[in-house]
Amino acid sequence: MSKKRNQKLITPEIFRQAVIGSFVKLNPRYMMKNPVMFVVEVGFVITLVLSFFPALFGDVGGGSLRTYNIIVAAILFVTVLFANFAESVAEGRGKAQAASLKKTQKDTQARLLEDNGGERTVLSSELKKGDVVLVRAGEIIPGDGEVIEGIASVDESAITGESAPVVRESGGDFCSVTGGTTVVSDWLKIRITSDPGNSFLDRMIALVEGASRKKTPNEIALNTLLVSLTIIFMIVIVTLYPIGIYSGVQLQTSTLIALAVCLIPTTIGGLLSAIGIAGMDRVTRFNVIAMSGKAVEACGDVDTMILDKTGTITYGNRLAADFFPVGGARREELIGCAALTCLQDDTPEGKSTLQLAREMGDHSEAVEGASFIEFTAQTRMSGVDLPDGTRIRKGAADAIEQYVKALGGQIPGDLHEQVDKISSLGGTPLTVCLNDRILGVIYLKDTVKPGMVERFQRLRAIGIKTIMCTGDNPLTAATIAKEAGVDGFIAECKPEDKIDVIKMEQSQGKIVAMTGDGTNDAPALAQANVGLAMNSGTTAAKEAANMVDLDSDPTKILEVVEIGKQLLITRGSLTTFSIANDIAKYFAIIPAMFMMAIPQLGVLNIMHLATPYSAILSALIFNAIIIPCLIPLAMKGVKYRPMSSGKMLGRNMLIYGVGGVITPFIGIKIIDLIIHPLLALMGL
């Protein structure tokens, strides 16, 4: 587990910075961004003025009124500070992460390889996109790049927090390296892919420390609702003054302000920004970098998840297990031709096929002048062209069949039998041909990762549909899909097929998430609402996605979606709690305001609060202290449990709705018992 996930909620340094930030944020220009708390700040200023000039608004009451106004002003000031403190704590955690990342940014020496074959030592800050550098064991990789030659173990703990080194090599999906990591063994030749100041580490630091984040659509909508409620309650408060005069009650301005602060949704207003920042922080501590808060929020709304089979649902290391000749071909001939196609094939399939061929006694060597044909998603085959005109290919069965037919060859009668046999076992058949003659099939084995069935069941329980994409034939795809428990699959999938299925789901109003690591995944990652790219993948994939997984674990999309849902649930739960709180405060303040003139209202004083002053101040104090009490919940999030939306709503309404009504009754009564004797000493 990453050490980033085990940090304390508030360290002494974060606490110190949060306290300072609480006062800095008192600037009205900043407070106006949070209209609910800005109303509280304005109320504080008015009450503070009334503390020295009580007759300014026609209030009467002498020294006791002055004392009362001072107490109300102090509580309102503390309320604003607590709200600012909650946001500052959330920001402080991100800034602490940024500080630790900055320590990895060192202007290191780099071996720049020149076009003439020479080597020149330069500072890493001087490297430009396209430069090629050589990094040996014990040296720090000077910048983001892709390995073009070599294989080495790389310590990425400075970025990911994981102590175990990872292998980086040219070709395949593990060619990407990040500046600031260290080569542990061997050497790498790296092509730099970013200019100075624009590296992945630079962007990470800007994201995790940036307090000036953009609000998400849901956050904006909720903020609009809170502002609307605030305006409604302000209108109600204004109309209470003439109602009081008509009833023969002289309502103090500070009392009306106290009532307004207690009735408007100050609890969620004070925590809303902190919840959003903390949501991004939780994703970051899970070693996923979200490019925006909108990406995290979108995770919580995901309806459909597009998953690659290889590396996500299965281990992805499809290794050659056996060779099956067809059409009367000799086994030795099949093994020899398969080996020739793999001599320059850097993929795991190619390497394992060559290794198995060697174990079976094949000693094929590279032929001078031979031309290696790389695999592409369009041709779905690779191979080699020998100088004498011989063409050997390996690839998907239907692709090889079409290739052979185009050359005028015949399809062996037992080919489909062998292909279906391998597919029914959940393996991947790779067909080999020599010119226009099919020699046989390579059996590649793959295994579904343990625990995937339970994960997909969990996603199904919360209404998320899973679709597996694979280049395998339909029979293999169906076998793996059934074993893993996904809801659907796309066999023989090409990059454009992923885009098509994403667009189709989105046309039905669904939010789509997918993972990817290759350049061919970039268009689909950009099209998806949530695109999670692997840090080990290509630069194109990382730039197209709106999230990057530092651990390069494709299955992490499942947990990221749950973190997104936790963010939405936390925001909804605390909003419910805040509004339910207000209901309980009505029973504390309204009777207290009119009880003296209208004794019949005493029946509403169900908490039996001692005096009007103690009732109002108790409600105001509770309104202030509930904000810091909820900071841990806002930071950690409400615990997420997979269940249907209906059950989730019922559970949260019971806990945070009913609980939000009961808690103030208990809290206000306890505070009243404590402060009533003190207020009596002050003559209130």
Side-chain angles (χ1 to χ4, degrees):
M1 180 175 282
S2 167
K3 62 188 178 185
K4 290 185 182 180
R5 295 174 220 167
N6 294 322
Q7 293 182 358
K8 293 180 180 179
L9 179 66
I10 303 179
T11 64
E13 178 59 23
I14 291 176
F15 181 83
R16 186 180 69 83
Q17 293 293 337
V19 171
I20 295 173
S22 300
F23 286 90
V24 172
K25 292 177 187 292
L26 290 173
N27 186 328
R29 285 182 297 179
Y30 184 88
M31 291 299 298
M32 287 178 69
K33 297 177 183 178
N34 187 341
V36 177
M37 298 315 299
F38 180 66
V39 168
V40 181
E41 186 175 47
V42 171
F44 155 69
V45 173
I46 294 173
T47 312
L48 184 64
V49 172
L50 287 172
S51 300
F52 299 98
F53 308 100
L56 195 62
F57 289 91
D59 294 347
V60 292
S64 61
L65 178 61
R66 188 187 301 273
T67 304
Y68 172 68
N69 288 345
I70 291 173
I71 295 173
V72 171
I75 297 172
L76 294 180
F77 181 67
V78 170
T79 303
V80 177
L81 281 183
F82 282 159
N84 289 347
F85 180 78
E87 185 175 348
S88 297
V89 167
E91 291 175 357
R93 283 160 62 86
K95 289 176 181 178
Q97 283 183 277
S100 65
L101 288 171
K102 284 179 179 178
K103 292 178 182 178
T104 66
Q105 281 192 311
K106 300 173 183 176
D107 204 4
T108 57
Q109 301 278 325
R111 290 192 179 90
L112 176 64
L113 301 181
E114 299 179 315
D115 295 337
N116 59 11
E119 182 181 304
R120 179 163 57 93
T121 301
V122 299
L123 292 175
S124 59
S125 58
E126 298 175 19
L127 294 174
K128 302 183 299 296
K129 187 176 182 178
D131 288 344
V132 177
V133 297
L134 178 67
V135 186
R136 294 195 174 97
E139 296 178 349
I140 295 174
I141 295 174
D144 295 353
E146 294 183 348
V147 179
I148 58 175
E149 191 177 330
I151 179 171
S153 295
V154 177
D155 178 6
E156 296 185 340
S157 59
I159 305 297
T160 67
E162 301 291 348
S163 57
V166 294
V167 175
R168 292 288 178 259
E169 58 184 320
S170 60
D173 297 332
F174 298 96
C175 62
S176 179
V177 292
T178 305
T181 57
T182 306
V183 174
V184 178
S185 66
D186 303 294
W187 57 272
L188 294 173
K189 191 178 287 186
I190 300 166
R191 180 180 290 112
I192 300 298
T193 57
S194 64
D195 290 318
N198 196 34
S199 69
F200 183 63
L201 193 58
D202 289 318
R203 283 182 287 157
M204 276 178 64
I205 292 170
L207 285 165
V208 298
E209 76 175 349
S212 57
R213 65 185 185 92
K214 292 183 179 179
K215 290 184 177 180
T216 63
N218 282 351
E219 201 171 345
I220 292 171
L222 180 55
N223 199 56
T224 302
L225 173 63
L226 299 182
V227 171
S228 301
L229 289 174
T230 301
I231 293 172
I232 291 170
F233 283 125
M234 293 303 295
I235 294 172
V236 171
I237 299 305
V238 171
T239 58
L240 276 178
Y241 189 79
I243 291 173
I245 294 174
Y246 178 78
S247 304
V249 179
Q250 177 65 44
L251 294 175
Q252 308 296 345
T253 305
S254 53
T255 296
L256 290 172
I257 291 172
L259 176 61
V261 170
C262 286
L263 296 190
I264 65 176
T266 49
T267 305
I268 186 62
L271 294 171
L272 184 58
S273 183
I275 293 169
I277 296 171
M280 287 191 68
D281 180 64
R282 281 196 297 276
V283 171
T284 305
R285 290 174 189 278
F286 202 63
N287 275 4
V288 173
I289 298 299
M291 301 307 176
S292 67
K294 185 177 180 180
V296 180
E297 195 171 83
C299 287
D301 291 325
V302 166
D303 301 298
T304 303
M305 197 177 293
I306 312 294
L307 300 164
D308 276 327
K309 185 203 78 170
T310 306
T312 305
I313 296 173
T314 63
Y315 279 108
N317 52 345
R318 299 186 299 174
L319 305 179
D322 207 347
F323 298 93
F324 295 100
V326 297
R330 292 182 299 109
R331 184 180 174 86
E332 292 76 14
E333 185 181 22
L334 168 62
I335 294 173
C337 287
L340 284 172
T341 65
C342 297
L343 289 172
Q344 296 183 48
D345 188 346
D346 288 330
T347 65
E349 294 88 344
K351 291 177 180 178
S352 67
T353 299
L354 183 61
Q355 181 180 347
L356 182 62
R358 295 285 190 251
E359 292 173 359
M360 292 185 171
D362 180 79
H363 301 289
S364 300
E365 297 294 337
V367 178
E368 187 175 349
S371 175
F372 178 69
I373 310 300
E374 291 188 2
F375 175 89
T376 66
Q378 284 69 37
T379 63
R380 294 168 55 232
M381 66 174 75
S382 62
V384 61
D385 290 344
L386 302 180
D388 61 3
T390 301
R391 290 185 288 182
I392 307 172
R393 297 288 185 271
K394 72 174 188 299
D398 61 328
I400 295 296
E401 285 184 34
Q402 292 176 12
Y403 176 80
V404 168
K405 286 178 181 178
L407 295 176
Q410 299 295 316
I411 307 302
D414 56 346
L415 174 63
H416 290 168
E417 180 184 342
Q418 290 292 357
V419 168
D420 292 347
K421 177 183 175 182
I422 293 171
S423 299
S424 64
L425 296 173
T428 301
L430 211 59
T431 305
V432 180
C433 71
L434 174 63
N435 294 323
D436 63 351
R437 188 164 63 94
I438 294 179
L439 301 179
V441 183
I442 305 170
Y443 173 26
L444 301 177
K445 287 185 68 174
D446 206 349
T447 308
V448 173
K449 293 180 178 180
M452 293 305 295
V453 175
E454 291 76 12
R455 287 190 181 193
F456 291 136
Q457 287 175 346
R458 203 165 67 193
L459 290 172
R460 197 173 295 111
I462 57 177
I464 295 178
K465 180 171 74 173
T466 51
I467 299 175
M468 180 185 78
C469 292
T470 175
D472 295 334
N473 64 61
L475 190 55
T476 302
T479 303
I480 294 292
K482 183 178 179 181
E483 185 180 347
V486 294
D487 298 312
F489 65 89
I490 302 173
E492 299 174 347
C493 183
K494 299 184 287 294
E496 53 267 30
D497 293 333
K498 292 182 181 179
I499 297 177
D500 290 342
V501 71
I502 291 172
K503 287 182 177 179
M504 184 182 71
E505 292 290 323
Q506 289 174 334
S507 68
Q508 300 172 17
K510 296 180 179 178
I511 304 297
V512 182
M514 78 158 285
T515 61
D517 53 12
T519 301
N520 61 347
D521 290 325
L525 286 169
Q527 179 66 38
N529 302 91
V530 178
L532 178 65
M534 303 298 103
N535 189 37
S536 61
T538 61
T539 303
K542 287 190 280 189
E543 289 179 350
N546 50 22
M547 287 183 152
V548 178
D549 175 25
L550 301 180
D551 296 330
S552 300
D553 177 7
T555 64
K556 198 179 284 186
I557 186 70
L558 306 173
E559 282 84 2
V560 170
V561 165
E562 292 189 352
I563 291 175
K565 286 196 174 293
Q566 186 187 38
L567 168 62
L568 297 181
I569 292 167
T570 301
R571 187 182 294 150
S573 298
L574 291 183
T575 300
T576 303
F577 185 86
S578 176
I579 294 174
N581 260 233
D582 295 339
I583 296 172
K585 294 169 198 168
Y586 300 160
F587 291 93
I589 296 184
I590 299 295
M593 292 173 62
F594 294 97
M595 214 163 37
M596 302 297 279
I598 310 173
Q600 291 84 351
L601 284 177
V603 72
L604 295 178
N605 185 19
I606 58 178
M607 286 183 269
H608 301 291
L609 303 178
T611 66
Y613 282 139
S614 70
I616 293 168
L617 293 177
S618 296
L620 207 56
I621 292 171
F622 176 85
N623 190 66
I625 63 175
I626 196 65
I627 294 176
C629 289
L630 290 174
I631 288 177
L633 186 61
M635 295 294 105
K636 293 182 179 180
V638 174
K639 189 173 182 180
Y640 171 73
R641 290 180 175 85
M643 62 181 70
S644 66
S645 300
K647 288 183 179 178
M648 194 179 299
L649 177 62
R651 179 179 179 275
N652 288 343
M653 286 299 292
L654 180 64
I655 296 175
Y656 298 98
V658 177
V661 173
I662 295 173
T663 304
F665 278 93
I666 299 171
I668 292 173
K669 180 61 178 177
I670 292 173
I671 295 170
D672 180 71
L673 292 172
I674 295 172
I675 69 169
H676 172 57
L678 300 176
L679 294 177
L681 293 175
M682 298 178 189
L684 292 173

